[in-house]
Amino acid sequence: MAPADLNQLRTFVVLYEMRSLTGTAARLHVTQPTVSYTLARLRKRFGDDLFRREGHTMVPTPRATQLFGPLHEALARIDATVTDSAEFEPEGFTGELVLGLTSIGEQTFLPPIMAALRGQNAAPHLVVKRLDAEATEEELARGAIDVALTVSVMDTSRLWRTPVRGVEYVALTSRAHPLAPTGPDMFEGRRFIRVSARGGHVFPQQALVEHGLLPQVALTVEEHATVPAVLASTDLVALLPRHVADVFCGWFPELLTADLPWPGTSSPVALYTRREMTLSPAQRWFRRLVLRAVSSGEFTDDAQR
């Protein structure tokens, strides 16, 4: 394949990932007219529009979606062949990396990850993208996110996954309004604050429904960061992962945890990336760094797939 054709295919892959002519041009270090010209040639070559503009987004056609996987993997294999991953040195690395986290993840996992980066003397531009459970798998597959940490269970035929931390839920409330001892009636007469399950944390909603507590929900919010200050000043109760509740108790000493009266475990937090052959050396290094920074040590390498 002629070099010009290879460059065209790389433009296609990056445009599929970025969904933006401007963003594609910036990543490839070319002008936007160059990207537009290349897209015109690709459309002629494949006999398809490939991308249609909807507002500010270039939305791929079914034909483009069909082409992306094989072309992305082919280019990744070429890059892996000509680039020795052993040569990657994190010290001085200043490229961009995208980390997908829920609102809980930003509060609990971002501090140790930033500390790990500092320990490596690496200074990438780390972009934290808020995860939407319905979109995360596709964003990982097309390269919009390099590494994601989530309790959502996704199709691993397209992704690499390893669990990093078990999730046990507890009740969190103010010390001024403690719960009754753990038991079937501990939530009688109490009201709850519920957080949107958009990031994948569905256990609280399921538990409230299963145990007939949904009518006792007094407040629904979008962000977990809202929860501790509200609990500290009210008699509301929240159901949260224990590791998150412990962080909140550190911020607000007036908060108190209590064990649940029923099993309170959910799917573990897992680390996801694209499949091995499609990762760049920088992405492999970043995956290792994040894994070491956030792993609780309760899972072995055998869990990786």
Side-chain angles (χ1 to χ4, degrees):
M1 181 176 290
D5 292 331
L6 191 61
N7 289 334
Q8 288 176 23
L9 298 181
R10 192 176 298 278
T11 298
F12 167 84
V13 167
V14 174
L15 181 56
Y16 189 96
E17 294 175 344
M18 301 294 291
R19 309 293 168 97
S20 164
L21 295 174
T22 303
T24 299
R27 181 185 286 190
L28 296 175
H29 304 289
V30 298
T31 65
Q32 183 173 326
T34 298
V35 175
S36 297
Y37 175 72
T38 302
L39 177 57
R41 296 186 65 185
L42 287 166
R43 283 168 167 165
K44 183 177 181 180
R45 179 184 183 117
F46 290 106
D48 188 87
D49 285 344
L50 297 179
F51 298 90
R52 298 188 179 96
R53 182 178 294 278
E54 293 185 9
H56 297 291
T57 303
M58 298 297 289
V59 179
T61 65
R63 176 62 171 152
T65 299
Q66 181 185 45
L67 289 168
F68 173 73
L71 291 180
H72 182 273
E73 183 171 350
L75 288 172
R77 288 180 180 274
I78 292 172
D79 291 340
T81 299
V82 300
T83 304
D84 183 357
S85 62
E87 295 178 356
F88 180 77
E89 293 293 340
E91 186 172 356
F93 173 66
T94 58
E96 181 176 288
L97 294 166
V98 181
L99 175 64
L101 294 172
T102 63
S103 62
I104 284 182
E106 289 184 12
Q107 296 160 50
T108 56
F109 297 139
L110 198 52
I113 290 171
M114 294 305 296
L117 285 171
R118 185 173 63 250
Q120 293 271 321
N121 293 322
H125 175 202
L126 183 59
V127 177
V128 177
K129 182 176 178 61
R130 181 63 55 83
L131 293 180
D132 184 326
E134 295 182 356
T136 301
E137 182 179 331
E138 179 61 25
E139 289 180 316
L140 279 163
R142 67 182 175 87
I145 296 174
D146 296 311
V147 173
L149 292 167
T150 178
V151 296
S152 297
V153 179
M154 293 180 283
D155 178 11
T156 55
S157 66
R158 298 199 296 170
L159 303 173
W160 185 97
R161 173 188 183 272
T162 188
V164 297
R165 184 183 295 268
V167 179
E168 177 196 8
Y169 280 82
V170 296
L172 185 65
T173 190
S174 167
R175 290 182 182 272
H177 302 281
L179 288 162
T182 298
D185 301 323
M186 67 182 294
F187 297 122
E188 185 175 347
R190 300 302 296 265
R191 299 178 303 159
F192 291 86
I193 177 172
R194 177 181 60 180
V195 184
S196 166
R198 184 166 57 92
H201 287 270
V202 299
F203 175 86
Q205 173 73 8
Q206 293 173 341
L208 291 171
V209 171
E210 181 178 346
H211 298 285
L213 298 171
L214 197 58
Q216 295 171 227
V217 172
L219 175 64
T220 299
V221 297
E222 282 291 322
E223 303 292 340
H224 284 88
T226 309
V227 171
V230 172
L231 293 180
S233 59
T234 68
D235 64 349
L236 297 182
V237 181
L239 304 183
L240 295 170
R242 183 181 293 278
H243 65 277
V244 177
D246 289 344
V247 170
F248 287 168
C249 287
W251 294 353
F252 292 79
E254 59 268 42
L255 298 182
L256 180 70
T257 63
D259 291 336
L260 299 179
W262 6 265
T265 58
S266 74
S267 57
V269 176
L271 184 153
Y272 288 89
T273 66
R274 288 185 290 190
R275 302 298 292 178
E276 188 72 22
M277 281 301 299
T278 64
L279 295 180
S280 69
Q283 289 169 327
R284 290 192 185 95
W285 163 77
F286 186 52
R287 181 177 68 185
R288 290 194 300 270
L289 180 140
V290 172
L291 182 58
R292 291 168 183 164
V294 305
S295 176
S296 64
E298 59 195 288
F299 297 100
T300 68
D301 288 345
D302 291 339
Q304 298 178 9
R305 52 195 176 100

